[in-house]
């Protein structure tokens, strides 16, 4: 892999930018691999990268129905934070946040990780109790999260309306300064490039049509549009379509898939310095480096695999945004879109082994998987390589829905991820 | 010839000079006659601080062009000077900020869509200090270092320095963005409408009009919308053809008159159908006042229309594509069709000496019409090898030279305006032509956005060099957006949808569609996406770097991601991607068309939901009573609830202590009307409830109440309340305030999907019943004289229907305070007088009103839980020390309670906590640990769920969920805090009257 740097950029500039090589190989499938990852989103590519970079498993294929990084990786609002409530969640999201902090250098790709602070607003006494409980839990875990008064919140985000007469006034906020955003596409591309350089085959436009199991029940490989590809270990990382893929191996997943929408405004000069989230009135907002206000809306009420949702969902979110930030009311929605999120009963992910030997699954990230991309890929790679769950992944086993050891972040706090 | 820019400069000086005398010279590039503007009505407007004159009917773009101004903006990345490219919604360059009074500042508006009004004030964007002198243009010098995606490859700095976040990102952010967001709240208001119709027709050009006429005459309910101020589309500039025997523009006027006379048809100009959502749900944005100089206060600025249409007809036309050639972005380079629009609609000559370069016949019409208006058309360069047919013939006949098979090789800029173009002939010779405008055409792209939103398939068409939308159920595309090439064809398609006969068309000069060409894009600075400064070289580089999917190329180069969403540039982006990948365009496909078609104001989407109308407050029938008693309110779910009733000078703490003490000493009165209430009736009502709640309810006797807990499927406590059995088949069930809707949905879900065989009916009665809680040792004394029945022997957990103070009441003897207590349910309208009656008796006896805070304290003293405080979706009834329904064969959640983790002894259980220092209050949410100063990463044993000062105990108390809590009674633990741990002792969760003597008194 040719290193990216100012020097290479200079050199190529002199050659009119004609000398750049492909950032990853557009591979054609080999007959067999040591491991196959189904799904070339951020989590799948990260898994392949860490398999090759840290676990010594380089004969890996990532098989993708469409184009790499084209699902929720390319559609989310890129919020990164680790101030979760339960210790299991704190562990994986903090593990991820630590990887984010060095990711650009590790991949030699600027993922534009921007720790500009994530501020979660409290509008009711109950909100305040919930956020303070998070702060207490996070302090014990050694994770930064602090309480801001309404005035401090307004200083941190000057266009925030903290008028006490608001329908839902800002009573305070929990701020994680290390939280922030990153450039979603760059994460997928950076992992793809680094994984490809380590020998991973990224096979795009190659839908998996079946998962082949032997007489002993163990996985033998995947059937694809481009033929059978053998591998003793298969990891399914397919977000909203995981349940469909797992059904091919006879595994019924506790997942529901919903369309989740997001939208951006036309670009304007910097006006929103941080990420602001309000769960009570459902508004998530930051400003991209390009200048667009990036706004997360909600999920439709009904399950669907169609990557679009109803207009009212975007309207509802903009109602809340315009109340919290009244100066943006004249800005205009430039684009809106939907992605399919896979939601588990306890709103926490499923990472680990399955009842099928050799078949692993990483899914159920719901509305908040982007922030976990590096950590999720990292622990999943170790899980696949060793055949047993990484300690951080262990609590997120599929089995927990049988044992009852749920990790319910959403119910605990009514907090979306 | 006089250089256009010099002319422009002279004129500006002239204007400024004339300004001192309070007069302006008229717009110099205006034709003597023609156009659809009102020449009698001069409008004064200001652009970048200079005053100009335009006419009623102008757009800002046409008015600027009438004044000889092409330079209106700077590009996003390199800050290159840019002019007006188009005459419509597709404009990538001419973005301005409009200022009105107050907070009415709007950035990023397209000058081509802004209707001129008296006093309009616009400023250019993304430049400093001025449009003509922009230091941002220095970025052009570094352009070789700033190709597509340059920032992915650099700007990191040494490891650990965080230079991206600290240095480069702030720099980049400052440079990015277009206009500035407003700094004041928007004072305008916005309206929201819902409607439905038989046929929604988008686009009032010839195809849409023909469809509307046909459907309207059939009696169908039709909505015809058009994004422009004046409906008509290409009919507005059709000066040759006769339709139905009359000139096309007369046909247009006649058709609009006929439509407006039809009661079943509504024509909506200035209304953009911006999105087509599932099941023919269309979003329309109507601009109501932006074109008015002095909008009336009675009008909303914009209206959002959400229309459900049985049939959607898309007649959205086609958008002209620019040519690709080096430096194709100069001010003065314009789409040929736009130049013709400016001439025929606005009476504006976009130049005096123009060169036309085209790969499509349509530009010949521009040549003919401009020449007829006195513009010198120096040459028509046709990039195709031959120029035959009626149009080129007519142009030749007009004496305009035609060069075929040539290329545009370059442009020259003088004073930020095109002043000459370099044309290459087929034989290799080149020549500079002086000109003040270069008008280009590279074919047209059918406007398939809405069809794509509805997931219509897109089919590649070689003749158009574009994708045409296929049909899907309920959505039809007609006219140019469906590949119609002539006026006659467009009219015929519109009429054919409703089996009508189209009007005949004569004397049309037909234009054949053209596939367009990539010739000219090979070398040099060739812009594909003008707004985002994406060049052909960027696209080749992206493909070379392995970005093969058009979605990848879009994302890597930002092509098509501007505010125009690539309306003029995307086809070239797809074609260049295909060419660089060695694929056919059909194989490459398109990027996803994402709504909205053109940007939609946030305010329009948010509609009237602001201030008091944003999630309107719910108040109880007794709200005014609480207001009169000077209550302080809190938000609970959608409700305002009285939190406490401070007397003069009292703090919350003091008021609450007084309310608690008085209630426990005599009596307290509380508005509990926000509790959710559900009437459950039917022969199977008891069985139904028995399956939904942990507690046994089939055996509940009529006239009795029971506290009941509802679980989720996962076995966790979801809600609680009172189930009161009024009769064999009739229950009154209460829920928590926040859970009212959730519980009803949960019940309906089970009733309809799991147990459809049960005969049971549910009705929400939350709004019907007001609830007044009377609690305290003297509660009965207060109530008895008002009751028209004897309640002296009414036991705890009994319910009776009776008349109280003349109101039909449902009286329950229940308590959430630990005191003898009642909840009086009366129909909402009876609540205020009953309140007054009770209030008077309460005052006489020395009782008090209390609010939610005192209620919380009293219930905590008794160890009663609050859903959402002691529970968080992870708590079982066993954890709370509540019955677990072991004796019941089944209920929702029971099976989950038997899972191994639910039976572990170290589950977090409800306990009480007493601080060693009784004055110290714990903080809710604080974590329990065994050490005073635990190291980071120490697992918590639990957390504080509630913490109050207890007036009854005269000290602080707290409830907590603690691992193995019931086995830890008496243990000393610590509550971790930022300033060290607070020592506590674990206690039972009931602090007051554990035997319940007061309750049953």
């Amino acid at each position: 892999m040719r290193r990216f740097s100012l020097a290479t950029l200079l050199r190529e500039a002199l050659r009119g930018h004609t000398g750049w090589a492909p950032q990853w190989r557009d591979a054609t499938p080999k007959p067999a691999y040591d491991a196959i990852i189904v799904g070339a989103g951020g989590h799948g590519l990260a898994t392949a990268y860490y398999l090759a970079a840290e676990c010594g498993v380089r004969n890996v294929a990532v098989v993708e129905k469409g184009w790499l990084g084209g699902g929720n990786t390319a559609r989310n609002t890129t919020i990164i934070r680790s101030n979760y409530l339960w210790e299991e969640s704190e562990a994986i999201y903090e593990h991820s946040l630590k990887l984010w902090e060095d990711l650009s250098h590790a991949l030699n790709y600027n993922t534009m990780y921007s720790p500009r602070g994530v501020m979660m607003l409290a509008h009711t006494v109950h909100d305040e109790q919930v956020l303070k409980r998070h702060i207490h839990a996070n302090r014990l875990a050694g994770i930064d999260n602090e309480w801001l008064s309404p005035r401090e919140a307004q200083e941190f985000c000057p266009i925030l309306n903290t008028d006490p007469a608001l329908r839902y006034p800002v009573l305070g906020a929990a701020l994680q300064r290390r939280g922030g955003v990153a450039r979603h596409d760059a994460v997928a591309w950076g992992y793809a490039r680094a994984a490809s350089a380590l020998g991973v085959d990224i096979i795009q436009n190659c839908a998996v049509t079946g998962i082949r199991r032997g007489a002993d029940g163990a996985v033998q490989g995947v059937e694809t549009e481009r033929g059978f590809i053998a591998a003793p270990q298969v990891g399914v990382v397919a977000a909203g379509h995981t349940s469909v893929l797992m059904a091919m191996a006879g595994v019924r997943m506790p997942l529901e898939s919903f369309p989740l929408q997001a939208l951006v405004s036309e670009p304007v000069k910097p006006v929103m310095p941080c990420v602001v989230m309000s769960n009570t009135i459902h508004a998530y907002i930051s400003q991209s480096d390009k200048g667009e206000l990036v706004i997360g809306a909600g999920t439709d009420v009904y399950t669907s695999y169609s990557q679009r949702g109803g207009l009212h969902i975007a309207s509802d979110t903009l109602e809340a945004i315009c109340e919290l930030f009244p100066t943006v009311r004249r800005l205009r929605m430039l684009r809106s879109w939907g992605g399919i999120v896979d939601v588990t009963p306890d709103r926490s992910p499923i990472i680990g082994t399955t009842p099928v030997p050799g078949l692993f699954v990483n899914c159920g990230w719901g509305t908040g998987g982007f922030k976990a991309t590096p950590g999720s890929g990292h622990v999943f790679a170790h899980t696949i390589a060793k055949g047993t769950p990484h300690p951080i992944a262990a609590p997120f086993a599929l089995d927990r829905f049988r044992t009852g050891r749920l990790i319910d972040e959403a119910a605990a706090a009514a907090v979306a991820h | 010839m006089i250089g256009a820019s010099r002319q422009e400069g002279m004129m500006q000086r002239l204007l400024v000079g004339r300004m001192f005398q309070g007069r302006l010279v008229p717009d110099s590039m205006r034709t003597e006659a023609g156009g659809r503007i009102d020449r009698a009505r001069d409008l004064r407007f200001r652009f970048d601080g200079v005053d100009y004159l335009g006419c009623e009917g102008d757009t800002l773009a046409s008015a600027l062009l009438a004044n000889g101004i092409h330079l209106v903006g700077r590009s996003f990345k390199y800050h290159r000077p840019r002019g007006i490219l188009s005459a419509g919604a597709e404009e990538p360059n001419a973005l301005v900020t409009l200022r009105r009074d107050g907070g009415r500042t709007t950035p990023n508006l397209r000058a081509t869509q802004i209707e001129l009004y008296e006093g309009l004030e616009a400023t250019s964007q993304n430049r400093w200090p001025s449009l003509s002198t922009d230091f941002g243009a220095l970025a052009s010098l570094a352009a070789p270092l700033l190709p597509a995606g340059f920032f992915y490859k650099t700007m990191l700095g040494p490891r650990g320095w965080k230079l991206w976040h600290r240095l480069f990102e702030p720099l980049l952010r400052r440079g990015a963005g277009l206009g500035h967001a407003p700094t004041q709240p928007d004072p305008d208001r916005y309206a929201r409408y819902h409607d439905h119709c038989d046929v929604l027709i988008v686009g009032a050009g010839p195809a849409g009009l023909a469809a509307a006429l046909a459907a309207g005459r059939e009696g169908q309910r039709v909505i015809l919308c058009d994004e422009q101020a004046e409906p008509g589309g290409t009919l507005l500039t059709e000066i040759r053809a006769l339709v139905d025997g009359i000139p096309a523009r007369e046909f247009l006027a006649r058709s609009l008159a006929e439509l407006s006379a039809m009661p079943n048809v509504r024509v909506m100009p200035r209304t953009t159908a911006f999105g087509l959502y599932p099941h023919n749900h269309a979003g329309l944005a109507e601009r109501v006042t932006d074109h008015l100089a002095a909008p009336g206060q009675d009008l909303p600025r914009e209206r959002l229309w959400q229309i459900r249409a049985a049939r959607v007809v898309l007649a959205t036309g086609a958008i002209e594509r620019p040519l690709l050639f080096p430096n194709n972005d100069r001010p003065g380079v314009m789409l040929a069709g736009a130049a013709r629009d400016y001439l025929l609609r606005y009476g504006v000559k976009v130049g005096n000496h123009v060169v036309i370069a085209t790969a499509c016949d349509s530009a010949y019409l521009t040549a003919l019409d401009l020449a007829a208006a006195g513009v010198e058309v120096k040459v028509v360069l046709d990039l195709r090898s031959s120029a035959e047919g009626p149009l080129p013939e007519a142009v030749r006949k007009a004496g305009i030279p035609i060069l075929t098979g040539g290329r545009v090789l370059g442009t020259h800029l003088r004073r930020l305006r095109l002043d000459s173009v370099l044309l290459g002939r087929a034989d290799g010779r080149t020549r500079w032509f002086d000109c003040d405008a270069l008008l280009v055409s590279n074919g047209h792209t059918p406007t398939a956005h809405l069809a794509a939103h509805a997931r219509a398939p897109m089919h590649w068409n070689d003749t158009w060099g574009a994708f045409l939308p296929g049909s899907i159920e309920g959505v039809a595309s007609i006219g140019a957006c469906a590949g119609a090439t002539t006026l006659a064809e467009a009219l015929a398609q519109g009429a054919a949808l409703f089996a009508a006969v189209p009007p005949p068309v004569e004397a049309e000069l037909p234009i054949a569609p053209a596939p367009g060409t990539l010739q000219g894009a090979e070398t040099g600075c060739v812009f594909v996406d003008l707004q985002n400064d994406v060049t052909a070289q960027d696209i080749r580089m992206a493909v070379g770097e392995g970005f093969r999917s058009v979605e990848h190329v879009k994302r890597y180069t930002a092509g098509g991601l501007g505010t125009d969403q690539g309306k003029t540039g995307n086809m070239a982006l797809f074609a260049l991607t295909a060419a660089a990948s060695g694929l056919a365009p059909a194989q490459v496909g398109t990027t996803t068309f994402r709504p909205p078609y053109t940007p939609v104001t946030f305010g329009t989407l948010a509609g009237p939901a602001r201030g008091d109308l944003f999630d309107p407050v719910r108040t109880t029938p007794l709200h005014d009573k609480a207001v009169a008693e000077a209550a302080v309110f809190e938000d609970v779910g959608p409700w305002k609830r009285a939190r406490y009733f401070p007397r003069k000078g009292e703090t919350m703490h003091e008021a609450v202590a007084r309310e608690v003490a008085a209630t426990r000493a005599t009596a307290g009165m509380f508005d509990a009307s926000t509790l959710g209430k559900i009437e459950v009736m039917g022969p199977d009502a008891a069985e139904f409830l028995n399956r939904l709640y942990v507690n046994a309810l089939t055996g509940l006797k009529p006239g009795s109440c029971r506290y009941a807990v509802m679980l989720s499927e996962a076995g966790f406590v979801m809600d609680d309340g009172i189930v009161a059995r009024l009769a064999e088949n009739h229950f009154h069930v209460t829920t928590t305030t926040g859970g009212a809707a959730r519980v009803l949905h949960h019940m309906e879900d089970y009733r309809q999907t799991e147990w459809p065989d049960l005969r049971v009916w549910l009705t929400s009665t939350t709004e019907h019943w007001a609830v007044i809680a009377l609690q305290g040792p003297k509660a009965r004394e207060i109530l008895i004289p008002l009751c028209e029945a004897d309640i002296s022997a009414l036991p705890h957990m009994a319910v009776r229907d009776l008349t109280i103070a003349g109101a039909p009441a449902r009286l329950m003897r229940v308590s959430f305070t630990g005191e003898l207590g009642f909840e009086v349910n009366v129909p909402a309208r009876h609540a205020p007088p009953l309140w007054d009656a009770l209030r008077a008796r309460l005052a006489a006896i020395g009782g008090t009103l209390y609010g939610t805070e005192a209620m919380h304290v009293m219930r905590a003293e008794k160890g009663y839980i609050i859903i959402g405080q002691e529970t968080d979706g992870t708590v079982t009834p066993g954890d709370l020390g509540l019955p677990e329904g072991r004796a019941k064969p089944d209920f929702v959640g029971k099976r989950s309670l038997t899972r191994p983790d639910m039976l572990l002894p170290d589950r977090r259980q409800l306990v009480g906590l007493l601080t060693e220092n009784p004055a110290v209050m714990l903080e809710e949410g604080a974590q329990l640990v065994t050490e005073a100063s635990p190291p980071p990463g120490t697992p918590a044993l639990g957390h504080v769920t509630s913490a109050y000062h207890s007036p009854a105990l005269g000290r602080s108390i707290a409830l907590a969920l603690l691992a193995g809590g019931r086995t830890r009674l008496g243990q000393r633990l610590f509550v971790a805090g930022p300033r060290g741990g607070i020592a506590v002792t674990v206690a039972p969760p009931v602090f007051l009257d554990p035997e319940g003597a007061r309750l049953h008194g």
Side-chain angles (χ1 to χ4, degrees), chain A residues 4-6 9-10 13 16-17 20-24 67-68 74-75 86-87 102 104-106 109-110 112-116 124-126 129 132-133 136-137 139-142 167-169 183-186 189 204 265-270 272 287 289-290 292 295 306-309 311 315 318-320 322-323 326-337 401-406 408 411-412, chain B residues 76 103-109 126 144-145 147 151-154 156-157 159 164-165 169 173-180 182-184 186 188 192 277 301 453 455 532 537 541 544-545 547 549 551-552 555-556 561 563 565 594-596 599-603 605-606 609-611 614-615 617 634-635 638 716 868-869 872 899-901 904 908 923-926 934 936-940 943 977-978:
Chain A
F4 286 154
S5 68
L6 184 59
L9 197 61
L10 272 167
H17 295 290
W20 295 105
Q23 296 194 2
W24 53 81
W67 38 283
L68 70 86
R75 294 163 194 270
W86 301 110
E87 279 140 18
D102 189 53
S104 295
H105 281 98
Y109 209 94
N110 189 356
M112 303 169 79
Y113 166 62
S114 170
R116 54 181 73 172
T124 65
V125 175
H126 183 251
Q129 289 165 342
K132 284 186 172 169
R133 183 178 168 197
H136 281 292
R139 186 192 319 108
L140 198 59
R167 170 69 182 87
Y168 289 103
R183 169 90 181 122
H184 50 18
D185 290 327
W189 301 338
Q204 302 179 76
S265 73
E266 293 182 296
V268 287
K269 296 292 177 193
M272 173 74 61
Q287 187 172 17
D289 288 345
K290 193 163 181 279
E292 299 155 331
I295 294 169
S306 146
Q307 287 174 319
R308 61 175 182 163
L311 173 60
S315 294
L318 286 171
E319 289 176 6
C322 290
E323 283 301 285
T327 56
V328 307
R329 196 179 291 272
R330 285 179 97 86
L331 296 187
R332 303 193 295 173
M333 176 169 86
L334 172 56
R335 282 190 307 276
S336 63
W337 63 91
F401 300 103
R402 284 190 210 290
T403 65
R405 192 159 201 89
L406 305 188
D408 202 330
Chain B
F76 189 83
R104 295 182 174 86
T105 295
T106 320
N108 302 342
L109 297 176
N126 204 36
L145 281 176
F151 36 81
Y152 299 127
K153 295 172 177 164
T154 179
L156 286 177
R159 221 172 186 133
W164 164 253
H165 176 57
E169 186 182 42
R173 286 193 72 178
R174 253 188 304 238
L178 290 167
H180 289 271
T183 54
Q184 298 297 313
D186 182 2
D188 284 330
R192 188 186 279 175
Y277 297 87
R301 180 175 172 232
H453 296 171
R455 303 288 162 89
N532 277 350
Q537 167 65 19
M541 175 183 159
E545 286 197 89
F547 296 88
S549 156
E551 288 285 355
H552 279 161
R555 287 155 179 280
Y556 193 61
L561 286 171
T563 66
Q565 291 213 56
R594 286 176 166 170
V600 181
T601 309
F602 282 3
L605 292 164
R610 62 199 290 185
F614 173 71
D615 199 4
V617 167
E634 70 166 325
D635 287 307
F716 299 118
Q869 200 157 340
D872 59 10
R899 293 183 293 186
D901 198 71
L904 293 178
R908 293 185 175 186
E923 190 164 275
E924 287 163 357
T938 302
H943 75 283

Side-chain angles (χ1 to χ4, degrees), chain B residues 300-324:
Chain B
R301 180 175 172 232
E302 297 180 6
R303 296 189 185 108
L304 174 69
W305 291 86
Q306 297 188 66
I307 292 179
R308 193 74 72 171
R311 196 165 179 189
V312 174
V313 176
L314 303 174
T316 45
I319 291 171
E320 195 165 31
R321 298 184 289 252
L323 278 176
L324 303 172

Side-chain angles (χ1 to χ4, degrees), chain B residues 209 212-213 216 224 254-263 265-267:
Chain B
L209 272 179
L213 285 168
L224 172 64
R254 194 186 75 187
S255 302
L256 288 172
E258 183 182 344
L259 288 171
S260 69
M262 291 183 189
V265 175
R266 188 162 74 233
V267 181

